[in-house]
Amino acid sequence: MATGVKIESGGGSSSVFGSLRYWLLTPSWLVIGFFLVAPVAMMLIYSFLTKEFRGGVIWEFSLAAYDQFIFDRGLFGDEPPKLEWTYIGIFFRSIWQAFSATVLCLLIGFPTAYFIATRPIHTRPIWLFLVTIPYWVNLLIRTVSLKFLIRDSGPLNQWLISFGILDSPIHLINTNVAVQLGLFYSYLPFMVLPIYASVERYNFVLSEAAWDLYANRWTTLRYILLPSVKSGIIAGCILVFVPSLGAFLAPDLLGGAKNFMIGSLIEEQFKGNAGNWPFGAAASMILLTLVLIVLMVYARQQSRTESKYS
Amino acid sequence: MRVNNHAPNQNIVEMAQSSSEIRRFPGFLPITILCLVLLYAPLVIVMIYSFNDSRSITLWGGFSLRWYEDVFFGLEAAKFKIAAWNSLSIASMAAITSTVLATSAAVGMIRGGSFRGKPASFALISLPLMVPEIVTAVATLIFFSTIGFTRGYASILVAHIVFCIPFAYLPIAARLDGIESFYEQAALDLYASKAQAFWRILLPLMAPGILSGFLLAFIISLDDFIITNFVKGAGIETLPTAIFGSVKQGIKPNIMALSTLMLLISILLVTVSFFVGKRGNKTGR
């Protein structure tokens, strides 16, 4: 297939740089392979090693890291195993938080994306640009700004009180809601962009046909528009859910110690001497597996819908 | 501005109106405005409060530039200067290196025809985007400590190059995808060497994509906190890690001034990238 002769442009090879492709690609392969794939493999190995008490590992095979994740064997490890809910709980909380943030993003992001996609064509890039600018601002700065805005004595509470809407400040910092808000704020543009792309490709003749058949606006939305732009919505949800799941800054700065998420749990294991490297590696492996499952299900879905329409 | 934007010659006849009316959902405009307000409010508030004369971050004490003075000449100025230098030099080198790698990879992928392992190659190049940042951070830390790579400036730089590659790659590949291959073909037919065809024909055509890829990689590198925090080791700070360290003890006004400066730099770079991309698209067609 690749060697099929093409009679184009004076008998040269069909592509000028085609024969060089492996040379051109090798540098990137090597860099990512050596500094990302190899490290992830190393992390997998570490998750099966024995912890050393000053941080680091002893090269001895052990399932202790995964065991610790699920079971509580008492302080000295000799009691009969009980199910340990702390870490599983942290994972479920993370999934819940990421899910809530995704729903929030969808509720705000879909109407925004739709609105932008129905603007006149020359104003769309400007709207899109407005939505994406905040994404390029440092995430740390954005999270700190949000914290500044919503803290108990922050401008938001001050205004709400001075306008007489509230009597006493609403307490948001160090709650689940603050973390959800932070994640929502961090990844909102990720929801808008893919939905925008699919609404822009949507053929409004379909809506008009529905209208002519006496469907109202909301029926059209429900039965015609939403199914047509489903792929954009799913892509947006994944782009928000995946980074939210492993987020560190929003839960750490807005959530405090009671609202631990996976990211903070992992970070703890590598901080100073108190950490547990194999356990941190195991938690990272579990997170990575979760994310890869989500992405693979998505890829399967995509290729199935593509083959259906082509 | 509001209602009849998308139908310039909107008719009052009901049928004609209805067909464009079906596109419009009441309530979507207010939600869009809410979305923009939510996105910008925290940033604008911090910008405003960075000009606050008061030492307290809560009360407004009049307009002043004292916190900007504090950033440049205050107690923490030396720390910020070193951190800023580290951040900017790492971002420049990481962006240049990753842009070169990404440009080469983009030509290989987009001009390479269909070859075995193309999907795998694409997956590998976009892998840094798919692996959660905290996982990359942990893996890199473990790897560096195993191979005995001392943590510091060099380790931060290497880690940044890796995760900048896909960010540089995507705009470059998108640009190259829009350039017909007969430009290089024509050059070769006119007895140009492959090198000449690349340097004198393809590269200038790709330039807008390369520039926006470079700028995105630069911003992403400046932005990074988690990976840097893991691989930096003791005794070296970039701006985000320095700010994080300060913020842990509470938000101080000088941090707001510093944040405002960084925010403006990011917005400036993105705006440049936006307009370069726009002009590039016009001239490319």
Side-chain angles (χ1 to χ4, degrees), chain B residues 88-108:
Chain B
L88 290 173
S89 59
I90 288 172
S92 313
M93 285 191 277
I96 291 171
T97 315
S98 59
T99 306
V100 171
L101 291 168
T103 305
S104 160
V107 176

Side-chain angles (χ1 to χ4, degrees), chain A residues 148-158 169-170, chain B residues 57-59:
Chain A
F148 177 74
L149 179 64
I150 64 173
R151 85 211 134 85
D152 292 358
S153 57
L156 182 70
N157 274 316
Q158 280 180 15
I170 25 169
Chain B
I57 55 164
T58 316
L59 301 167

Side-chain angles (χ1 to χ4, degrees), chain A residues 14 21 24 114 130 138 158, chain B residues 18 23 40 58 104 112 185 223:
Chain A
S14 68
R21 61 191 166 220
L24 292 165
Y114 183 89
L130 280 177
N138 199 303
Q158 280 180 15
Chain B
S18 70
R23 287 163 163 244
Y40 285 92
T58 316
S104 160
Q185 303 273 8
D223 190 59

Side-chain angles (χ1 to χ4, degrees), chain A residues 2 8-10 13-25 27-29 31-40 42-43 46 59 107-108 110-112 114-116 118-120 125-127 129-131 133-142 144-149 151 153-155 158-159 184-185 188-189 192 204 207-208 211-212 215-218 220-221 225 242 246-249 252-253 263-264 266-267 270 277 280-281 284 287-288 291 295, chain B residues 1-2 5-6 15 18-26 28-29 31-32 34-36 38-43 45-46 49 57-59 101-102 104-105 107-109 111-116 121 124-125 127-128 130-132 134-136 138-147 149 151 158 161-162 165 167 184-185 188-189 194 197-198 202 216 219-220 222-223 225-226 229-230 239-241 243-244 247-248 251 255-256 258-259 262-263 266-267 270-271 274:
Chain A
E8 269 176 27
S9 71
S13 94
S14 68
S15 166
V16 177
F17 302 107
S19 55
L20 297 172
R21 61 191 166 220
Y22 292 115
W23 292 105
L24 292 165
L25 283 164
S28 295
W29 287 347
V31 170
I32 296 174
F34 192 73
F35 290 108
L36 188 60
V37 179
V40 169
M42 188 69 82
M43 183 177 80
Y46 262 56
W59 285 83
L107 288 178
I108 301 280
F110 179 81
T112 305
Y114 183 89
F115 179 81
I116 296 174
T118 50
R119 294 302 90 200
I126 297 164
W127 283 99
F129 184 54
L130 280 177
V131 171
I133 284 180
Y135 170 70
W136 297 112
V137 172
N138 199 303
L139 181 60
L140 174 64
I141 291 178
R142 280 189 291 152
V144 170
S145 305
L146 187 65
K147 183 175 185 175
F148 177 74
L149 179 64
R151 85 211 134 85
S153 57
Q158 280 180 15
W159 287 332
F184 158 78
Y185 180 52
L188 180 57
V192 176
F204 278 96
S207 286
E208 280 158 29
W211 180 266
D212 291 344
N216 68 27
R217 218 176 253 130
W218 301 104
T220 316
L221 175 77
L225 180 66
V242 166
F248 170 72
L249 283 174
D252 193 73
L253 289 171
S264 316
I266 294 172
E267 202 252 4
F270 294 91
W277 284 34
S284 304
L287 171 63
L288 182 62
V291 166
L295 291 177
Chain B
M1 158 103 206
R2 212 184 123 192
N5 266 345
H6 41 110
M15 234 7 244
S18 70
S19 64
S20 74
E21 275 289 285
I22 189 87
R23 287 163 163 244
R24 206 173 63 81
F25 286 91
F28 278 21
L29 174 69
I31 295 176
T32 306
L34 175 71
C35 174
L36 291 175
L38 286 172
L39 284 173
Y40 285 92
L43 303 179
I45 296 291
V46 161
Y49 273 80
I57 55 164
T58 316
L59 301 167
L101 291 168
S104 160
V107 176
M109 283 290 284
R111 289 297 197 258
S114 64
F115 56 94
R116 269 189 58 188
S121 173
L124 189 63
I125 290 168
L127 192 65
M130 292 191 278
V131 177
I134 188 110
V135 176
T136 308
V138 167
T140 313
L141 168 67
I142 286 175
F143 184 66
F144 284 171
S145 92
T146 311
I147 62 171
F149 191 175
R151 285 191 270 160
V158 169
I161 290 171
V162 176
I165 290 176
F167 284 97
E184 315 90 92
Q185 303 273 8
L188 239 62
D189 291 347
K194 281 187 181 182
F198 177 75
L202 201 55
L216 295 192
I219 296 173
I220 289 293
L222 272 189
D223 190 59
F225 168 74
I226 301 174
N229 194 37
F230 268 75
L239 274 177
T241 62
I243 291 177
F244 185 79
V247 165
K248 275 284 167 184
I251 306 171
I255 293 297
M256 288 196 270
L258 182 60
S259 301
M262 289 178 67
L263 201 151
S266 302
I267 292 178
V270 176
T271 314
F274 176 73

Side-chain angles (χ1 to χ4, degrees), chain A residues 23 52 100 179 256 284 292:
Chain A
W23 292 105
E52 191 177 23
S100 311
V179 178
S284 304
L292 289 182

